[in-house]
Amino acid sequence: MSPLIPVLRSARRRAEAIFNRPGAGHVADRLVSRVQLWRALAGAAATLYLIYTYGADEGWSGVANDGVVKLILAPLLLIFTGPLVVLGFIRYVPAEHRSELRSRLRAPLKAVGWYVGILVGVGLVLAGSALLLKQNYGVLLNGLVALALLLGLIWLLPFMLFASAYAARYAFNTSTVHAALPAVLTVVLVWELTLCSVALEGGLPHGPPAAQWCAVLGGPVSVTAVALWELHRMRTRYGVRIRA
């Protein structure tokens, strides 16, 4: 077994322990999870087919870079725009439940604090190491600093990527506030990512108009449909209502 496998497992488990902490009202629906998985696989397959057929500006490396950028961008968008969605959600529920929902905000705020701390920590490690190496204190010290940086990043970078994925997937543990909040935040997030992607790429992807619009709207429309279906199942099967 590769020595990197235990490191990756450790990073994944730690990220999941922080950003996947469902509350007492969390609804674990296996059918919804399976549909979400198959939707993601179908979306990835459709994206690869469109890129293979019509190409991309920067080739496959550009596609990989775009995926990493979206992975990091998703939790950042949640941090900046999520509070507005959460406040609007709390405002939408009946007045007698608002104070109770506000009292449950500690877990999401703690998760946000963890994520910001992770980003700041990685940035400080990189900046501090670069500063030490720039001072050129000698081959031995520089070598030790470079080795420590390498060993640290072997765990830190996967941890940051896993943290970003789990933070976006579970919307910073907002299910502790209300079981329906992650689905609502997912809909907002996927449309924000779509707008950012179009803006960063400077226009629509390659291909005929039908393929272009399918590439742009296929993801957010399908994610929105699955999220609305999830909310419907919560209401009809589990009695989870927003206005009740």
Side-chain angles (χ1 to χ4, degrees):
M1 183 175 64
S2 171
L4 288 178
I5 299 300
V7 175
L8 293 176
R9 286 178 177 172
S10 172
R12 181 187 64 80
R13 288 171 181 168
R14 184 56 184 161
E16 185 176 16
I18 296 173
F19 297 103
N20 180 17
R21 300 179 67 87
H26 174 71
V27 175
D29 192 322
R30 293 185 178 180
L31 178 59
V32 170
S33 297
R34 286 197 294 268
V35 170
Q36 289 172 338
L37 175 61
W38 282 108
R39 191 226 65 83
L41 293 175
T47 299
L48 294 175
Y49 172 77
L50 290 172
I51 293 172
Y52 176 79
T53 303
Y54 302 110
D57 289 335
E58 299 179 7
W60 292 107
S61 61
V63 175
N65 291 335
D66 182 62
V68 174
V69 169
K70 286 182 178 179
L71 184 62
I72 301 298
L73 185 60
L76 294 179
L77 286 173
L78 281 175
I79 289 173
F80 286 106
T81 63
L84 298 177
V85 179
V86 173
L87 291 176
F89 185 94
I90 293 176
R91 182 67 180 173
Y92 180 72
V93 303
E96 61 269 21
H97 298 309
R98 292 171 189 168
S99 60
E100 181 183 357
L101 295 188
R102 285 194 293 266
S103 69
R104 301 176 184 175
L105 289 172
R106 181 177 179 181
L109 291 174
K110 187 176 180 180
V112 170
W114 266 106
Y115 189 79
V116 173
I118 291 167
L119 291 181
V120 172
V122 172
L124 289 176
V125 168
L126 293 174
S129 300
L131 182 61
L132 286 174
L133 292 174
K134 187 177 180 180
Q135 298 301 319
N136 193 18
Y137 288 113
V139 176
L140 178 59
L141 182 57
N142 283 358
L144 291 175
V145 171
L147 179 61
L149 175 63
L150 177 62
L151 294 176
L153 291 180
I154 287 176
W155 190 88
L156 274 176
L157 290 182
F159 174 65
M160 185 178 68
L161 293 177
F162 283 124
S164 297
Y166 282 119
R169 171 67 180 83
Y170 298 105
F172 288 105
N173 298 328
T174 48
S175 65
T176 59
V177 179
H178 194 284
L181 250 180
V184 174
L185 284 167
T186 296
V187 172
V188 176
L189 176 62
V190 72
W191 286 101
E192 288 178 337
L193 284 174
T194 299
L195 292 176
C196 289
S197 179
V198 172
L200 291 174
E201 292 175 4
L204 298 177
H206 294 179
Q212 289 178 325
W213 288 111
C214 284
V216 172
L217 297 179
V221 169
S222 61
V223 169
T224 301
V226 172
L228 292 176
W229 172 69
E230 179 184 3
L231 292 173
H232 173 74
R233 280 181 63 86
M234 284 187 187
R235 183 176 67 254
T236 57
R237 289 179 173 267
Y238 304 100
V240 176
R241 300 177 182 273
I242 300 175
R243 290 290 298 172

